[in-house]
Amino acid sequence: MPTIDAQGRPEPPLEGDEVAVLTGFLEYQRATLAWKTAGLDADGLAARTAASSLTLGGLLKHLAFVEDHWFSHVLLGRERASIWRDADFAADPDWEWTSAAGDAPDGLRRLWVEACAASRTALDEALARGGLEQLAAGPTGWPERPSLRWILLHMVEEYARHNGHADLLREAVDGEVGE
């Protein structure tokens, strides 16, 4: 059982196999985003800082898209979830970011939580088929296919970068700070 910190985040294991450490860091980053967006209403999730158009609600929706993209669409080669298939990315390439302003906070949180749950299931399915060396089954737009190891590391990087944005945005909303 992982150690849970004061913000409710599971500490990544100090010892364990590669999968346990990689997924431990990804779960920690996911829990950080949950902490940074917890308890905020629509105004809080739509707040911006400085000249940036980023919002905490936009981060939730973007990371829900990223979860679906990398674990379901790219790793397993499945069709995207309907919300992403139905979105008009041609008209608005930043649709997941901009459309979040019109979404209810509970809907944004549910979308992200469900995407994370689906990703965990997809990861378990992929690991049951093979190790971290297995290559993605779906399209990437690149000549090469990334390995599952690369996808996990990319997801840790994606969350870490956006959690830095979430730190700044949350502090601007209500002064809440923390690592």
Side-chain angles (χ1 to χ4, degrees):
M1 180 106 190
T3 301
I4 305 298
D5 72 9
Q7 289 73 37
R9 299 174 297 178
E11 292 287 347
L14 295 174
E15 295 181 22
D17 65 18
E18 191 174 12
V19 171
V21 172
L22 286 171
T23 58
F25 271 94
L26 180 54
E27 291 300 336
Y28 180 86
Q29 293 297 331
R30 286 172 173 156
T32 298
L33 183 65
W35 166 43
K36 292 297 177 177
T37 59
L40 293 177
D41 61 11
D43 289 339
L45 288 177
R48 296 177 180 178
T49 185
S52 176
S53 63
L54 288 179
T55 66
L56 288 165
L59 284 170
L60 282 170
K61 198 165 190 177
H62 171 69
L63 287 165
F65 171 76
V66 169
E67 291 276 356
D68 182 73
H69 175 75
W70 284 107
F71 286 107
S72 181
H73 187 62
V74 173
L75 178 61
L76 298 181
R78 294 188 177 146
E79 189 173 40
R80 295 185 194 282
S82 62
I83 185 174
W84 315 120
R85 285 193 318 268
D86 298 342
D88 190 356
F89 285 103
D92 182 0
D94 294 326
W95 179 84
E96 79 272 30
W97 294 99
T98 58
S99 66
D103 295 339
D106 287 345
L108 287 168
R109 288 187 188 96
R110 185 173 43 258
L111 177 68
W112 176 71
V113 166
E114 289 172 359
C116 290
S119 291
R120 289 180 190 103
T121 300
L123 177 60
D124 289 345
E125 184 180 325
L127 287 169
R129 285 196 324 240
L132 294 171
E133 297 77 23
Q134 69 184 283
L135 298 180
T140 63
W142 305 328
E144 304 90 18
R145 294 180 296 148
S147 68
L148 175 52
R149 177 182 288 104
W150 186 94
I151 291 170
L152 281 169
L153 284 168
H154 174 70
M155 290 299 294
V156 170
E157 178 272 333
E158 182 88 16
Y159 270 96
R161 181 168 27 93
H162 288 314
N163 283 335
H165 301 135
D167 282 340
L168 294 171
L169 289 163
R170 183 63 189 249
E171 185 176 6
V173 169
D174 63 8
E176 173 142 351
V177 295
E179 64 174 78

